[in-house]
Amino acid sequence: MSKSLVAKHAQGKSEQDEIFAVSHAAQAKAKIVGKENIVNASIGAFLDPQGNLITLPTVAQTLAGLPFEDTAAYAPIAGLPGFIETAINVTFQEYKPDAYLAGIATPGGTGAIHHAIWNYTNEGDTYLTTDWFWGPYRTMAREMLRNLDTFPTFDEQGNFNLQACLEKVKNLSQVQQNVLLIINSPAHNPTGYSLTYEEWEQLVEGLKGLAENQENNFILFVDIAYLDFAPPGSRKFFRLFSNLPANLLVIVGFSMSKGYTMYGYRSGCMIGISSDKDVIAEFYNVNQYSNRATWSNGTRSAMRCLEELGKNPELMARVNQEREEYRLSLEQRAKTFLEEANTVGLEVCPYHAGFFITVPTVKAKEIALKLQEENLFIVPLKRGLRIAICAIPAEKIKGMATKIKKAKDELGG
Ligand SMILES: Cc1ncc(COP(=O)(O)O)c(C=O)c1O
């Protein structure tokens, strides 16, 4: 083995960026066959038909209108109060839980997930999520000396596997005091699944039941990175977080990346929800402390931008209107793909909304490589193909499901 200088815990840390690799291959092929003949379904950002990043004009204008001496200054460690207030308001809208609430600004939803893992599990602990999950949940476990365990996302009917979820939570609670459960909904990455209101109801009831033992602490992290791309009415479940037992804390991870097209500005907010004033005071203190100890304060320009939008209902309405147009176009792209998949008999994970559709297969790598021969570039996951419908225009979606089905049949995956 070559020489290593890193500390013991850091040894062997390395990760291949699969998305970058696929995208790179797409660009290389574009030089040969022409960009217009390439379908690059690897990038997890909303792109226009020319492959450029779609941004919300009113967000761009609001940001551009801020004086540099304002945006260049430090933000408070916990975040600008006006930003936090707006983040809470836009997250819950009319479904604000009846509870104590506090927000801490973080660099995107990623920062919120980081702090939840760091401050609510112990070294060596395990935390839980669905078996289809966003890769960095595992990267963060390795980084923070924790473990990630999963349960089947779906039951046989393709609904959320509540039973498997609660069983895992219960089993873990028998060996660990704090149990952190991460649920990415609505518009889950990578499947596009959204828990129904009834599924949320049952999940919360199940967790309340487990919390009755008073010995454990349950922390439910709701990753809402794609909330704004779920249809209207998708926020109702937040009301279920009212009047929870004191040993059941909910943390919601708000992000400006997708909803406000501010991916690179690194802005988000972790919102704590508890019936107990002390639990929320502690939430505020420990996470503010972790901000100071990791990245200090967040990006002031992004916080100021949201604050300005929050102050001006007309501007915010414009942002929502602009985004809604894109959400509808995403819905159209999904419909095109799913209808064709259905016609040709291509199996897909249950999809409701969001940036990605997933085709389950044990031969993801082989199929993805084969599809590259046909100028179709898709990210292979361990157990499936993640199709970034957010990155491809409607006209290029036609024919994709057929090509994937053909490659899948040929390779027997
Ligand atoms: C499921 C999920 N959660 C959280 C994030 C966090 O994004 P950000 O840190 O940019 O807010 C992403 C981004 O891709 C995601 O896909």
Side-chain angles (χ1 to χ4, degrees):
M1 202 189 117
S2 58
K3 192 167 170 58
S4 166
L5 264 68
V6 299
K8 227 189 263 168
H9 74 84
Q11 276 169 13
K13 279 200 302 191
S14 123
E15 201 171 57
Q16 235 208 345
D17 188 343
E18 195 71 58
I19 299 172
F20 180 79
V22 175
S23 226
H24 194 73
Q27 281 160 19
K29 190 77 181 277
K31 283 193 185 135
I32 304 165
V33 300
K35 200 175 164 193
E36 64 287 359
N37 296 313
I38 293 286
V39 182
N40 185 358
S42 66
I43 300 159
F46 218 129
L47 305 183
D48 69 12
Q50 285 73 45
N52 301 316
L53 188 71
I54 286 178
T55 53
L56 301 178
T58 302
V59 171
Q61 283 153 20
T62 306
L63 190 64
L66 297 169
F68 185 60
E69 66 270 25
D70 177 355
T71 58
Y74 282 128
I77 301 291
L80 287 167
F83 162 76
I84 293 166
E85 190 190 332
T86 311
I88 291 175
N89 288 340
V90 296
T91 296
F92 300 129
Q93 293 181 5
E94 66 268 44
Y95 300 108
K96 197 176 277 183
D98 186 4
Y100 290 101
L101 302 173
I104 293 283
T106 53
T110 305
I113 301 162
H114 174 274
H115 283 359
I117 296 167
W118 182 247
N119 287 323
Y120 288 94
T121 62
N122 290 299
E123 191 172 320
D125 272 2
T126 294
Y127 56 90
L128 303 171
T129 195
T130 47
D131 64 353
W132 289 106
F133 64 90
W134 185 51
Y137 291 166
R138 195 186 291 292
T139 316
M140 284 193 244
R142 170 72 177 83
E143 178 67 10
M144 288 183 265
L145 312 181
R146 271 67 167 165
N147 305 295
L148 175 70
D149 197 5
T150 63
F151 54 88
T153 313
F154 304 115
D155 64 15
E156 265 155 32
Q157 284 75 48
N159 300 317
F160 178 68
N161 201 330
L162 184 77
Q163 203 189 337
C165 171
L166 289 175
E167 217 170 87
K168 269 274 158 142
V169 171
K170 187 175 175 194
N171 291 344
L172 192 57
S173 74
Q174 282 159 359
V175 292
Q176 238 178 252
Q177 191 186 21
N178 277 19
V179 178
L180 168 65
L181 168 66
I182 304 177
I183 298 290
N184 173 208
S185 183
H188 173 258
N189 175 5
T191 65
Y193 191 76
S194 302
L195 269 72
T196 62
Y197 181 78
E198 288 69 31
E199 286 169 342
W200 273 116
E201 212 169 22
Q202 289 163 13
L203 176 61
V204 172
E205 279 313 305
L207 291 174
K208 278 187 190 168
L210 292 170
E212 273 172 17
N213 74 9
Q214 298 298 328
E215 282 163 26
N216 290 102
N217 302 315
F218 297 92
I219 299 93
L220 170 63
F221 188 98
V222 189
D223 183 347
I224 55 159
Y226 300 89
L227 170 67
D228 285 322
F229 289 91
S234 298
R235 285 169 162 83
K236 195 175 155 205
F237 73 97
F238 287 131
R239 283 295 293 173
L240 295 167
F241 303 146
S242 304
N243 307 310
L244 298 175
N247 57 336
L248 171 52
L249 168 70
V250 177
I251 304 172
V252 174
F254 164 80
S255 166
M256 291 187 77
S257 297
K258 282 89 184 171
Y260 294 82
T261 61
M262 291 185 77
Y263 310 83
Y265 277 87
R266 310 307 308 135
S267 186
C269 185
M270 64 193 299
I271 305 169
I273 307 169
S274 172
S275 61
D276 191 303
K277 203 173 168 185
D278 295 339
V279 168
I280 282 301
E282 181 187 58
F283 168 88
Y284 186 84
N285 291 334
V286 301
N287 292 305
Q288 174 174 237
Y289 192 97
S290 291
N291 265 4
R292 172 80 269 184
T294 46
W295 39 74
S296 184
N297 49 82
T299 310
R300 187 181 171 99
S301 54
M303 288 190 222
R304 284 284 297 111
C305 179
L306 191 74
E307 194 176 39
E308 286 302 303
L309 296 174
K311 278 195 257 177
N312 188 334
E314 225 171 87
L315 275 187
M316 189 62 98
R318 250 167 50 197
V319 170
N320 291 336
Q321 207 178 340
E322 287 162 6
R323 188 196 305 109
E324 185 61 5
E325 215 177 282
Y326 294 125
R327 189 190 69 74
L328 291 171
S329 91
L330 190 61
E331 222 174 61
Q332 196 50 47
R333 295 180 192 188
K335 194 164 169 264
T336 306
F337 185 90
L338 293 172
E339 277 176 5
E340 186 180 317
N342 191 34
T343 308
V344 299
L346 175 70
E347 188 196 349
V348 296
C349 287
Y351 174 94
H352 294 131
F355 281 27
F356 309 104
I357 291 176
T358 292
V359 172
T361 168
V362 290
K363 294 219 170 146
K365 260 213 153 97
E366 294 90 327
I367 297 171
L369 271 180
K370 178 140 191 70
L371 289 168
Q372 289 191 8
E373 291 168 15
E374 303 207 39
N375 301 334
L376 178 49
F377 292 80
I378 295 176
V379 174
L381 308 173
K382 275 206 181 79
R383 304 158 49 224
L385 297 159
R386 189 191 81 160
I387 299 142
I389 52 163
C390 55
I392 26 180
E395 58 274 20
K396 283 193 174 178
I397 287 182
K398 281 197 200 92
M400 269 179 80
T402 308
K403 281 186 184 171
I404 298 169
K405 169 75 173 147
K406 192 166 153 265
K408 200 165 171 266
D409 286 349
E410 274 172 35
L411 291 165

